[in-house]
Each structure stands twice: as structure tokens, then as C-alpha cells.
Amino acid sequence: MAASLLIGIVITLTAAWGALALWLRAPLPAVGRAALTLAWLASALAAIAAFAWPAWQPAWYVFAVAAVALLVWWHTLRPSNDRDWIPEVARQTHGEIDGNRVTLHNVRNFDWRSRTDFTPRWETRHYALDELQSVDVALSYWNRPAIAHALVSFGFGHDRHVVFSVEIRRKQGDRFSEIGGFFKQYELSVIASTEEDSLRVRTNVRGEDGYLYRIHMPLDAARSLFLAYVNSANRLRHTPRFYHTLTANCTTIVFQMARRIVPGLPLDFRQLASGYLPEYLYDLQVLRGADNAGQYRRLGRYTERARANATPATFSRDIRHGLPGIDAQ
């Protein structure tokens, strides 16, 4: 009885996973995907029914063959850098490291007027590692308080910042889906950009809510983190990878890189529930200049400051007005 129950649970879970995989990824029109998904579910129900009706036992073999075929097809799905990408991820950031000097190619610096009206600019920029002065984490919220997009901004003085963002690389016609992120629906991208692009577009164009936190870490560790982003971008350019909602997203990749720099960095649910990163950063004691996490949130919220900014040249300075820890280097 226990073995039958366990097998039934395995079949049910396999059926649910396979149904989602087929519906989201089968290369067929919607009607074809629906028919194939229903056929898959029917084979799973027949296999479960065979526990009650022994005459249906051949259904187990049918389901087993279908499951093997599904897994074989699943493993044929490979990430690619050659698709019809939307403009903001049409190019891939990559870098050249020459001692103290880093040259970044395809730094995005779009002039956004609306979601669909923008002037694309991809630039080559040069940075000196010994000029790196600051690391800030930006969080952008668009829906639920537990979920935010995390970006890391490196400051090189004189209001020169470069932002790294780990994002889905969307194709034309794609819409973001957390569920789709479990099923090889999107490729992964690491994009370097200016703050006037990636931070401003989220608050001023997409209507998201932005927060900024100054991270206090040794400069050697900050340089290592910057280089880790460059190296990750270079790897993706040569070896594409699928985005994954849990294991390869904007927050988990930040912490995978940070753990190489800060050994023993503790695991925490807030690494996945990225909206609660401020409390996690506060517990790690990398925030300074305020008394509690709530005060960091209040003072770090830059949404109104971003929307009030009228001059791109002062954008980075304006959004940092009153930010805790700026003078606590």
C-alpha cells in the first residue's frame, strides 16, 4: 500500500511538471499544445487508475514511455544567443581586463521617453579598478512587497556609476512569468548600464518603486565583485544559459558571486524573497548611517527624487540625497 501511494505521488508530480513543460515550451500552436498536454495528463490519469483496475496496468508502460520521451525532448532544449531579442537586451555586455584597466563594451545608455519611445545607445566605457569608490544595491518593486529586482551599482567618483543587472533576455512577444522561469522560457543576461538608463527607466517610465542602499565592504572585495560581474557577462556571451526563477535570477547570482568574496555568507530565505533584502543586509551589518532597517527603507527610497530629476547629469547625485551611509566610508 505504501509503495503504491509513493508511486502515485511520483506520477502526480511528474504529470504536473510535464503538463506545464508541454504547455509552456512545446513548439506548437496553442491548440496543438493544449491537445498534447491533455493527452499527457490522460496517460497519467490512466496510470493512476491502474492501481484500482488491474486490467489497466498497460497504462503504466504507456505513461513510462511518454515520460522518457518527454525527458529526451526536454534535454534537447538549449539556450541560445541568436534569437529575435527586444531592443534593450539586443546586445550583450562584455569586458576586457588589462591589469588595473577594464573596458566594457555594450554598456546600455538608452534615452527613455516611454516604454516604446526611446533612443538606443550602446557605448564602450573605460574604468580603473583603483578608482572604484562605492557599491550600492538598488531594489525596484513593481507588484508584491516580497519581490524586487536587484541591481548593483559601482561608483568610480565624479558621479560615474555603472550598473550591473542580471535579467531575463526576452524575445519579441515574450511576457515575464515566474512560472515560465522554471521551464527554460528565457535566456539569462548580464547587462551593464548607466544609472540614467536602468534606474531611471524603472521609476520614471515603468512606474516602479526604487530604493538604494550603500553597501560597506572592503575595496578589494568590491573590485572582486565588479570583476565577477564582468567575467559572468563574458561567459554568457560565449556560453548562453537559461534564466531560472529560483537558481539563476537577479538575486541568487548576486549572492553566488558574493560568497566567493565573503566566505561563509549565510543562506537565508531573503536571498530568494528579494523584497526583504534590506533586512538581510542590515543583519549582515553592511549598512551604516541609520538606526534600523525601517529607517534605511524610508531614507533609501528614491522614487520621488528620480521623478523630480530633470537633468541626466545630476541623476546619480539627486537620487542619493539623504541616503544613509554616503559619508560613512
Side-chain angles (χ1 to χ4, degrees):
M1 182 66 180
S4 297
L5 178 61
L6 180 60
I7 294 172
I9 292 172
V10 170
I11 292 175
T12 300
L13 293 176
T14 303
W17 176 85
L20 286 169
L22 289 169
W23 175 249
L24 291 169
R25 297 293 285 129
L28 296 170
V31 173
R33 293 201 313 273
L36 188 60
T37 303
L38 288 174
W40 162 260
L41 290 173
S43 71
L45 288 173
I48 293 173
F51 288 107
W53 294 292
W56 285 40
Q57 286 185 0
W60 291 344
Y61 302 104
V62 173
F63 180 74
V65 170
V68 170
L70 179 68
L71 290 174
V72 170
W73 163 73
W74 184 252
H75 285 289
T76 66
L77 299 179
R78 293 286 186 265
S80 172
N81 284 328
D82 185 19
R83 303 195 194 277
D84 186 16
W85 309 110
I86 60 175
E88 52 262 46
V89 292
R91 300 191 189 184
Q92 291 178 286
T93 298
H94 60 282
E96 299 168 1
I97 303 169
D98 182 13
N100 183 57
R101 309 293 297 181
V102 177
T103 300
L104 289 183
H105 302 280
N106 292 331
V107 177
R108 203 181 72 197
N109 187 24
F110 283 24
D111 180 14
W112 295 91
R113 292 174 290 276
S114 73
R115 290 175 181 262
T116 57
D117 181 17
F118 51 84
T119 302
R121 288 194 299 260
W122 297 94
E123 301 173 349
T124 295
R125 297 199 170 197
H126 306 275
Y127 303 92
L129 292 175
D130 58 5
E131 294 178 1
L132 178 58
Q133 298 178 5
S134 63
V135 178
D136 298 316
V137 169
L139 296 178
S140 192
Y141 297 77
W142 63 92
N143 190 0
R144 296 181 293 273
I147 303 298
H149 184 72
L151 309 93
V152 180
S153 180
F154 295 90
F156 287 85
H158 305 292
D159 292 328
R160 292 182 68 237
H161 296 83
V162 59
V163 181
F164 280 95
S165 179
V166 178
E167 303 186 2
I168 63 171
R169 198 175 188 198
R170 286 196 295 146
K171 303 175 291 295
Q172 296 285 354
D174 273 348
R175 291 188 177 183
F176 178 68
S177 163
E178 284 92 349
I179 294 176
F182 286 98
F183 291 93
K184 299 184 179 180
Q185 193 163 5
Y186 316 107
E187 272 80 6
L188 189 70
S189 64
V190 174
I191 296 291
S193 63
T194 64
E195 291 190 338
E196 304 91 85
D197 177 330
S198 56
L199 298 191
R200 180 180 174 277
V201 69
R202 290 179 175 274
T203 53
N204 296 24
V205 175
R206 300 177 186 171
E208 299 178 12
D209 199 17
Y211 294 75
L212 197 63
Y213 302 93
R214 172 58 51 89
I215 305 300
H216 292 275
M217 60 193 301
L219 287 178
D220 284 347
R223 295 181 190 112
S224 295
L225 184 58
F226 178 81
L227 292 176
Y229 270 108
V230 176
N231 289 327
S232 292
N234 288 344
R235 282 195 299 272
L236 284 176
R237 183 167 178 251
H238 296 288
T239 308
R241 180 181 176 188
F242 282 120
Y243 174 93
H244 193 280
T245 300
L246 288 182
T247 62
N249 61 47
C250 67
T251 308
T252 55
I253 289 183
V254 169
F255 279 92
Q256 286 171 16
M257 292 188 295
R259 286 192 197 105
R260 299 189 324 197
I261 299 161
V262 185
L265 192 65
L267 291 171
D268 194 285
F269 80 95
R270 292 167 293 188
Q271 295 172 17
L272 299 177
S274 49
Y276 303 125
L277 270 178
E279 287 74 18
Y280 179 72
L281 296 171
Y282 179 76
D283 290 345
L284 288 179
Q285 299 181 348
V286 296
L287 302 180
R288 299 177 189 170
D291 295 329
N292 53 63
Q295 191 175 18
Y296 282 111
R297 278 187 179 270
R298 181 175 61 82
L299 296 175
R301 186 173 184 267
Y302 65 86
T303 307
E304 278 74 26
R305 299 194 291 272
R307 292 173 181 169
N309 171 265
T311 307
T314 65
F315 181 84
S316 293
R317 191 182 319 153
D318 290 347
I319 64 173
R320 286 172 172 77
H321 180 72
L323 193 72
I326 288 292
D327 296 323
Q329 296 291 344

